[in-house]
Amino acid sequence: MAAGSAFAARLTTATGAGPLRPGSLRSRPGDRARRWRYLPYDQLHAALGPLATLSPHELGVVLIESPAKARRRPYHRQKLALVLANQRHFALELAARGVEVRYLVDADGYAPAIAAAARVLGPLAMMEAAERELRVELAPLVADGALQVEPHAGWLTTADEFVAWAGPRPPWRMDAFYRGARRASGLLMEGARPAGGKFSHDADNRRPWRGTPSPPPPPRFVPDELTREVGALVERAFASHPGQLDLEALPATVADAEALWAWALRACLPHFGPYEDAMSSRSRTLFHTLVSSVVNLHRVLPARVVADVAGAELPLSSQEGFIRQVLGWREFVRHVHVATDGFRTVSLREGAPLPPAFWGAPSGLACLDGVVADVWRTGYGHHITRLMVLSNLANLFDASPRELSDWFWIAYADAYDWVVEPNVLGMGTFAAGDLMTTKPYVAGAAYVHKMSDYCGTCAFDPRRTCPLTRLYWAFLDRHARALAGNQRMAVPLAALRKRAPAERARDAETFAAVRATLDAGATLRP
């Protein structure tokens, strides 16, 4: 991922040294007097951890671009541009403060570049990387003393707090963890009691959207020369990667991130709560804030967004719904991911290959085709389309949970292993059983029809011909033994037992026909 001329020129002007291959790195006067740190791609904020306390003139920072990482999977082009543009802008932002920056480009990965930097600059310190994949790559350097690791200051809770609130071993439950986090943080608390008398307002936040109030159009940004250069690089070097690149939808600078968050507070959050579970073909985003991508890069700090929401004049259901996602779910899944070593210490249900429909082949199901098209167009989809369309249908198709998890990692601009593996393996597919959720989130046509307008443009009638309902019953039939002890599945399993044998046979036939059609890349028809 060679650094382009505009970035190279601006970095050279700011620091006296443009982007370097690690082998070209040389010690300069004063280098050894600085405190050198490596900053991973998820830590791009000048007020995060030691960067907030060290004087810029005593601080040295190493940033790394790795084409090997970008090519490890066919990541969405919007995601590649997002990470790369933000890291390059952050390098210049640091340099403007007087921080000495060494920006390395290494085709072989992060570890070789850090090893080379440590030989020239001395051992480097870093806050722990969020992604397990990067932690594993850097572990030998930590063992050799070339890299010293400190806790990541961006997280809002600790491992000890996770154990105290959720328990030392599974099953873990987010609601118990969230109550502990709310009490410890004081957010939306009135003394020892939660504001409004209950910790979760989830039951109040399940309204379908029927056209009003009008959702705000997402903000657009003006790409500067550096961002346009990144876009050209991605289009050239990663032309085989899927997804559309839209630079005007990409928050690349700290000012862009601030503008996005200001828009979210002003335009989205007043109506976010009641409609956070709604889905619509008329509005991909509805009242969702779109800040997950910049929060996961720490361009806007998680502590900042929950404090801003708690202090804003907003309906309590919107405040609580947003804070539950960031302080509750986001923190919870990260702890589960660490505790299970990325779900490698637990048994997972297997499945068949993901159908070509997830890569853009028309399935004939308006819900699936619409959501997939949105994702490849934008690199975004809100949490209910991820859970109740993509994960739900993958479950009904008996698709591989691991393959679906990797697809999420590739397709979404805000996706990293610590996010997608718990979300998909733990919740979306229930592949790890009741490790962190109480039941599989499967549903037939009635749910999609109630919570969205997708059915209005579909060739299938949700009440008569949509295959999702028979696929739902077929899923329960195939997995009845595994779900037999789950109390939250007792009612649907009892209904399954009362279902006529002829209907159950038709359910199984529908599943086989749908799988065969989609596996062939063909389109389902009524």
Side-chain angles (χ1 to χ4, degrees):
M1 200 179 296
S5 58
F7 175 57
R10 290 174 63 180
L11 188 63
T12 300
T13 299
T15 67
L20 300 167
R21 301 293 176 184
S24 303
L25 184 62
R26 299 289 181 269
S27 181
R28 298 166 60 185
D31 276 355
R32 289 282 178 168
R34 289 185 179 261
R35 300 172 67 175
W36 286 92
R37 305 188 63 83
Y38 163 58
L39 297 184
Y41 42 82
D42 70 280
Q43 299 174 14
L44 307 182
H45 200 292
L48 184 62
L51 270 66
T53 57
L54 292 173
S55 164
H57 301 290
E58 64 176 317
L59 181 62
V61 162
V62 173
L63 292 163
I64 300 169
E65 282 186 23
S66 170
K69 168 70 170 180
R71 294 191 175 97
R72 195 166 294 159
R73 297 171 189 85
Y75 292 113
H76 197 300
R77 283 181 279 184
Q78 188 78 355
K79 177 177 184 174
L80 294 177
L82 175 84
V83 176
L84 184 53
N86 273 279
Q87 182 168 282
R88 289 187 177 189
H89 278 102
F90 185 57
L92 296 174
E93 292 160 14
L94 287 177
R97 295 176 58 232
V99 176
E100 194 71 19
V101 176
R102 296 290 182 272
Y103 199 98
L104 306 181
V105 182
D106 194 319
D108 296 324
Y110 297 97
I114 293 173
R119 287 193 292 270
V120 174
L121 303 171
L124 279 66
M126 68 172 290
M127 290 190 297
E128 185 178 56
E131 276 206 295
R132 176 193 179 275
E133 187 171 88
L134 183 55
R135 296 197 301 270
V136 169
E137 181 180 346
L138 301 183
L141 296 176
V142 177
D144 291 345
L147 195 57
Q148 299 161 358
V149 178
E150 306 156 0
H152 191 320
W155 299 113
L156 306 180
T157 59
T158 67
D160 288 344
E161 289 171 331
F162 173 71
V163 169
W165 302 332
R169 60 189 62 84
W172 295 297
R173 296 292 178 257
M174 197 279 283
D175 57 348
F177 171 81
Y178 176 54
R179 289 194 298 270
R182 283 276 298 280
R183 291 187 179 104
S185 69
L187 290 165
L188 300 184
M189 296 295 293
E190 297 170 349
R193 292 178 53 80
K198 53 186 178 180
F199 282 99
S200 174
H201 290 257
D202 186 46
D204 305 323
N205 293 356
R206 298 174 183 171
R207 291 175 58 181
W209 181 75
R210 301 306 185 207
T212 57
S214 297
R220 305 291 287 175
F221 307 98
V222 179
D224 63 6
E225 183 183 18
L226 193 156
T227 302
R228 292 194 302 272
E229 185 174 84
V230 166
L233 169 63
V234 170
E235 295 281 27
R236 181 179 69 253
F238 303 99
S240 63
H241 284 226
Q244 295 181 28
L245 183 59
D246 181 359
L247 295 181
E248 292 186 3
L250 193 154
T253 68
V254 67
D256 290 344
E258 288 293 328
L260 176 61
W261 178 231
W263 168 82
L265 272 173
R266 179 187 71 254
C268 296
L269 281 164
H271 298 295
F272 168 71
Y275 301 105
E276 68 173 293
D277 282 8
M279 303 176 286
S280 176
S281 60
R282 290 174 286 170
S283 173
R284 168 180 55 86
T285 58
L286 287 175
F287 304 99
H288 291 263
T289 64
L290 311 185
V291 298
S292 54
S293 62
V294 293
V295 168
N296 287 352
L297 293 175
H298 285 85
R299 292 298 260 166
V300 180
L301 297 181
R304 155 91 179 281
V305 298
V306 294
D308 284 355
V309 169
E313 292 291 331
L314 293 167
L316 179 59
S317 64
S318 290
Q319 290 177 304
E320 191 281 318
F322 180 87
I323 287 172
R324 179 163 21 94
Q325 287 193 357
V326 180
L327 178 66
W329 188 254
R330 184 177 185 271
E331 293 285 315
F332 177 70
V333 300
R334 170 255 173 166
H335 287 300
V336 170
H337 193 257
V338 172
T340 61
D341 192 28
F343 284 72
R344 286 160 179 81
T345 63
V346 297
S347 297
L348 298 174
R349 174 172 55 82
E350 297 183 355
L354 203 61
F358 281 76
W359 298 98
S363 72
L365 300 169
C367 55
L368 178 60
D369 293 342
V371 171
V372 167
D374 279 346
V375 172
W376 290 126
R377 185 165 56 250
T378 66
Y380 177 79
H382 66 73
H383 67 283
I384 296 299
T385 59
R386 301 187 200 203
L387 177 64
M388 297 308 300
V389 175
L390 298 175
S391 296
N392 177 32
L393 268 63
N395 268 335
L396 300 185
F397 302 154
D398 254 2
S400 162
R402 268 288 177 195
E403 193 170 329
L404 181 67
S405 179
D406 287 346
W407 185 91
F408 270 65
W409 198 352
I410 288 163
Y412 285 102
D414 60 3
Y416 302 93
D417 57 7
W418 64 269
V419 179
V420 298
E421 289 173 341
N423 277 350
V424 177
L425 300 175
M427 185 182 193
T429 64
F430 204 62
D434 68 350
L435 178 88
M436 56 179 283
T437 53
T438 58
K439 67 169 186 174
Y441 284 81
V442 288
Y447 179 90
V448 176
H449 183 48
K450 174 186 175 183
M451 294 304 299
S452 79
D453 56 16
Y454 297 135
C455 300
T457 60
C458 191
F460 292 95
D461 184 311
R463 294 184 177 90
R464 295 186 301 110
T465 61
C466 180
L468 296 191
T469 299
R470 288 200 176 277
L471 292 175
Y472 169 78
W473 290 113
F475 174 89
L476 294 183
D477 214 347
R478 291 193 308 277
H479 300 286
R481 180 173 297 180
L483 297 173
N486 188 313
Q487 291 301 308
R488 293 197 66 189
M489 297 302 294
V491 171
L493 290 176
L496 173 70
R497 290 191 292 272
K498 297 176 183 177
R499 196 163 172 82
E503 291 298 301
R504 293 172 74 161
R506 285 188 62 192
D507 298 337
E509 291 168 2
T510 299
F511 168 73
V514 167
R515 275 285 346 183
T517 301
L518 295 182
D519 285 349
T523 302
L524 298 168
R525 304 190 189 281

